[in-house]
Amino acid sequence: MSHTVDGYLNKVKKEVKHSGDQDLKYYGFFVQEVEGYLAEKPKATMQEVEEYFGTPKNVLDDYLETQQGKALRNKFLRCKKLSYVLRAALVVLLAIIAILIAVRVTDGLIFSHGQYNRVVYEGTPPPDTESYVEIY
């Protein structure tokens, strides 16, 4: 197969996401169909292959329409939503970690370079012989 058609198949593979045995079987059949098409037209470009079979999104939609019920389509939609939620959570977590590291580094620099001012209260300490309760 040509390099450009491999790119097309990789895009289809990403759309299908191999979440089960049926998906692997479908992808295998689809690859065989593409290879058969390329055997008939060995000089086909990626645009010709995409015109014949459709875009990767259309290939996935055709596959989901052939499946029984809406359960499989819902499974794909849930996986897609879950991946978006996990990506967003990961981004938020990385942002929090970056902020905490920045605060830690800044605090360490301020302390180690003498800019940390500790307030020392001036005054005469009470004599050791008197108790603190009696003084106040």
Side-chain angles (χ1 to χ4, degrees), residues 96-116:
I96 290 171
I97 289 171
I99 290 170
L100 290 175
I101 289 173
V103 168
R104 173 75 173 139
V105 168
T106 304
D107 186 47
L109 288 174
I110 289 172
F111 183 77
S112 64
H113 289 103
Q115 296 175 1
Y116 182 72

Short mmCIF file of all heavy atoms in Angstrom, two decimals, residues 96-116:
data_model
loop_
_atom_site.label_atom_id
_atom_site.label_comp_id
_atom_site.label_asym_id
_atom_site.label_seq_id
_atom_site.Cartn_x
_atom_site.Cartn_y
_atom_site.Cartn_z
N ILE A 96 -2.92 22.88 38.15
CA ILE A 96 -2.80 22.96 39.61
C ILE A 96 -1.39 22.61 40.06
O ILE A 96 -0.80 23.29 40.90
CB ILE A 96 -3.85 22.06 40.29
CG1 ILE A 96 -5.25 22.64 40.08
CG2 ILE A 96 -3.56 21.89 41.77
CD1 ILE A 96 -6.37 21.72 40.53
N ILE A 97 -0.83 21.56 39.47
CA ILE A 97 0.53 21.16 39.83
C ILE A 97 1.52 22.27 39.47
O ILE A 97 2.43 22.58 40.25
CB ILE A 97 0.90 19.83 39.13
CG1 ILE A 97 0.12 18.68 39.77
CG2 ILE A 97 2.40 19.56 39.20
CD1 ILE A 97 0.25 17.37 39.04
N ALA A 98 1.34 22.87 38.30
CA ALA A 98 2.24 23.96 37.89
C ALA A 98 2.14 25.14 38.84
O ALA A 98 3.16 25.74 39.21
CB ALA A 98 1.91 24.39 36.46
N ILE A 99 0.93 25.48 39.27
CA ILE A 99 0.75 26.59 40.21
C ILE A 99 1.40 26.27 41.55
O ILE A 99 2.08 27.11 42.13
CB ILE A 99 -0.75 26.91 40.37
CG1 ILE A 99 -1.28 27.54 39.08
CG2 ILE A 99 -0.99 27.84 41.55
CD1 ILE A 99 -2.79 27.68 39.05
N LEU A 100 1.21 25.06 42.04
CA LEU A 100 1.82 24.68 43.32
C LEU A 100 3.34 24.69 43.25
O LEU A 100 4.01 25.13 44.19
CB LEU A 100 1.31 23.31 43.76
CG LEU A 100 -0.15 23.25 44.20
CD1 LEU A 100 -0.57 21.82 44.48
CD2 LEU A 100 -0.39 24.13 45.40
N ILE A 101 3.88 24.22 42.15
CA ILE A 101 5.34 24.25 41.99
C ILE A 101 5.84 25.69 41.93
O ILE A 101 6.85 26.04 42.54
CB ILE A 101 5.76 23.45 40.74
CG1 ILE A 101 5.56 21.96 40.99
CG2 ILE A 101 7.21 23.74 40.36
CD1 ILE A 101 5.77 21.09 39.78
N ALA A 102 5.11 26.55 41.22
CA ALA A 102 5.51 27.95 41.12
C ALA A 102 5.49 28.63 42.49
O ALA A 102 6.40 29.38 42.84
CB ALA A 102 4.60 28.69 40.15
N VAL A 103 4.47 28.34 43.29
CA VAL A 103 4.39 28.92 44.63
C VAL A 103 5.54 28.41 45.49
O VAL A 103 6.17 29.17 46.22
CB VAL A 103 3.02 28.60 45.28
CG1 VAL A 103 3.02 28.92 46.76
CG2 VAL A 103 1.92 29.36 44.56
N ARG A 104 5.82 27.13 45.39
CA ARG A 104 6.91 26.54 46.19
C ARG A 104 8.26 27.14 45.80
O ARG A 104 9.08 27.49 46.66
CB ARG A 104 6.91 25.02 45.99
CG ARG A 104 8.06 24.31 46.63
CD ARG A 104 7.90 24.21 48.10
NE ARG A 104 8.97 23.36 48.60
CZ ARG A 104 9.63 23.61 49.70
NH1 ARG A 104 9.31 24.65 50.43
NH2 ARG A 104 10.57 22.81 50.09
N VAL A 105 8.52 27.27 44.53
CA VAL A 105 9.79 27.83 44.06
C VAL A 105 9.90 29.29 44.48
O VAL A 105 10.94 29.74 44.96
CB VAL A 105 9.92 27.66 42.54
CG1 VAL A 105 11.06 28.49 41.98
CG2 VAL A 105 10.11 26.19 42.19
N THR A 106 8.83 30.05 44.30
CA THR A 106 8.85 31.46 44.67
C THR A 106 9.09 31.63 46.16
O THR A 106 9.90 32.46 46.59
CB THR A 106 7.53 32.14 44.28
OG1 THR A 106 7.32 31.93 42.89
CG2 THR A 106 7.55 33.62 44.57
N ASP A 107 8.41 30.84 46.98
CA ASP A 107 8.60 30.91 48.42
C ASP A 107 10.03 30.55 48.81
O ASP A 107 10.63 31.20 49.66
CB ASP A 107 7.60 29.98 49.11
CG ASP A 107 7.63 30.13 50.61
OD1 ASP A 107 7.62 31.29 51.08
OD2 ASP A 107 7.67 29.10 51.31
N GLY A 108 10.58 29.53 48.18
CA GLY A 108 11.96 29.15 48.47
C GLY A 108 12.96 30.22 48.08
O GLY A 108 13.92 30.49 48.79
N LEU A 109 12.72 30.88 46.94
CA LEU A 109 13.62 31.95 46.52
C LEU A 109 13.54 33.15 47.45
O LEU A 109 14.56 33.75 47.79
CB LEU A 109 13.29 32.37 45.09
CG LEU A 109 13.68 31.39 43.99
CD1 LEU A 109 13.17 31.87 42.65
CD2 LEU A 109 15.18 31.19 43.96
N ILE A 110 12.35 33.50 47.85
CA ILE A 110 12.19 34.64 48.76
C ILE A 110 12.88 34.35 50.09
O ILE A 110 13.58 35.19 50.65
CB ILE A 110 10.70 34.97 48.95
CG1 ILE A 110 10.13 35.58 47.68
CG2 ILE A 110 10.49 35.93 50.11
CD1 ILE A 110 8.63 35.76 47.71
N PHE A 111 12.71 33.15 50.61
CA PHE A 111 13.30 32.79 51.90
C PHE A 111 14.83 32.73 51.81
O PHE A 111 15.53 33.24 52.69
CB PHE A 111 12.75 31.47 52.39
CG PHE A 111 13.25 31.08 53.74
CD1 PHE A 111 12.74 31.69 54.88
CD2 PHE A 111 14.24 30.13 53.90
CE1 PHE A 111 13.20 31.35 56.13
CE2 PHE A 111 14.70 29.78 55.14
CZ PHE A 111 14.18 30.40 56.26
N SER A 112 15.35 32.12 50.75
CA SER A 112 16.79 31.93 50.67
C SER A 112 17.56 33.20 50.29
O SER A 112 18.75 33.28 50.51
CB SER A 112 17.13 30.82 49.68
OG SER A 112 16.72 31.20 48.38
N HIS A 113 16.91 34.18 49.73
CA HIS A 113 17.58 35.41 49.35
C HIS A 113 17.37 36.54 50.36
O HIS A 113 17.61 37.70 50.07
CB HIS A 113 17.15 35.87 47.96
CG HIS A 113 17.69 34.98 46.88
ND1 HIS A 113 16.92 34.06 46.25
CD2 HIS A 113 18.94 34.86 46.37
CE1 HIS A 113 17.65 33.41 45.37
NE2 HIS A 113 18.88 33.88 45.41
N GLY A 114 16.90 36.21 51.52
CA GLY A 114 16.82 37.19 52.60
C GLY A 114 15.66 38.16 52.51
O GLY A 114 15.63 39.14 53.23
N GLN A 115 14.71 37.89 51.65
CA GLN A 115 13.57 38.80 51.55
C GLN A 115 12.44 38.39 52.47
O GLN A 115 11.40 39.00 52.50
CB GLN A 115 13.07 38.84 50.11
CG GLN A 115 14.09 39.41 49.16
CD GLN A 115 13.61 39.33 47.72
OE1 GLN A 115 12.51 38.88 47.45
NE2 GLN A 115 14.46 39.76 46.80
N TYR A 116 12.67 37.33 53.20
CA TYR A 116 11.66 36.85 54.13
C TYR A 116 11.80 37.63 55.43
O TYR A 116 12.83 37.57 56.08
CB TYR A 116 11.86 35.35 54.38
CG TYR A 116 10.84 34.73 55.29
CD1 TYR A 116 9.54 34.53 54.87
CD2 TYR A 116 11.19 34.35 56.58
CE1 TYR A 116 8.61 33.95 55.69
CE2 TYR A 116 10.26 33.78 57.42
CZ TYR A 116 8.97 33.59 56.96
OH TYR A 116 8.04 33.02 57.79
#
